[in-house]
């Protein structure tokens, strides 16, 4: 993988625009009904596709969080991390997925992203990084 300079220490709390190579990573539902929260922003601004609840579309990457517990979310997070690692030309800004409408807490979701800390082109929210300091 080519070396990527970290642009951010953490994912910005509010993302209204993206650079050309940046990807907005958000929590979705399996049906891809992007009604609220970060999913709505992804749909309205960053190319998320209605009816597509998993994966890379436009400048967005959907990770389903509304269909069960943490164990049900884990495989989608693992797939995302593998995808990001294999696309070093892109820069992934992970929102606090699952911590809004889905009702999880950073302590629940952050462990799923532990491996992402080592991936240079993934930026995590401060609320997730804080979980790794304990």
């Amino acid at each position: 993988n080519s070396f990527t300079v970290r642009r951010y220490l953490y994912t910005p709390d509010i993302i209204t625009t993206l650079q050309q190579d940046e990807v907005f990573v958000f929590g979705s539902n399996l049906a891809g009904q992007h009604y609220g929260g970060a999913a709505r922003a992804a749909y309205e601004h960053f190319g998320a596709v209605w009816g597509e609840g998993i994966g890379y579309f436009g400048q967005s990457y959907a990770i389903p969080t509304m269909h069960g517990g943490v164990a049900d979310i884990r495989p989608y997070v693992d797939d995302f991390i593998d995808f990001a690692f294999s696309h070093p030309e892109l820069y992934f800004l992970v929102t606090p997925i699952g911590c809004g409408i889905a009702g999880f807490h950073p302590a629940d979701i952050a462990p799923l992203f532990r491996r992402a800390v080592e991936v240079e082109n993934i930026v995590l929210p401060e609320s997730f990084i804080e979980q790794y300091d304990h």
Side-chain angles (χ1 to χ4, degrees):
N1 280 358
S2 62
F3 178 73
T4 302
V5 175
R6 282 207 188 271
R7 296 177 193 164
Y8 309 96
L9 187 56
Y10 309 114
T11 303
D13 289 336
I14 297 173
I15 299 171
T16 55
T17 60
L18 294 172
Q19 293 183 42
Q20 190 172 345
D21 61 346
E22 291 178 339
V23 178
F24 183 84
V25 182
F26 68 100
S28 65
N29 56 57
L30 286 169
Q33 297 172 333
H34 308 307
Y35 285 115
R40 184 181 186 112
Y43 177 67
E44 291 181 351
H45 304 291
F46 305 127
V49 175
W50 198 267
E52 297 288 352
I54 306 166
Y56 178 54
F57 299 93
Q59 282 186 275
S60 70
Y61 191 103
I63 298 176
T65 60
M66 301 286 290
H67 61 286
V70 172
D72 300 303
I73 299 168
R74 179 181 304 277
Y76 296 104
V77 172
D78 288 342
D79 287 349
F80 159 71
I81 295 169
D82 293 343
F83 180 87
F85 184 79
S86 68
H87 289 84
E89 74 282 4
L90 298 174
Y91 201 76
F92 296 88
L93 304 176
V94 178
T95 63
I97 73 151
C99 299
I101 296 166
F104 294 99
H105 295 280
D108 302 320
I109 302 297
L112 302 180
F113 283 90
R114 187 71 177 95
R115 188 167 58 98
V117 171
E118 305 303 320
V119 182
E120 289 292 327
N121 61 333
I122 297 176
V123 180
L124 298 174
E126 186 173 10
S127 61
F128 287 13
I129 298 292
E130 287 172 345
Q131 300 300 315
Y132 307 139
D133 296 336
H134 306 111

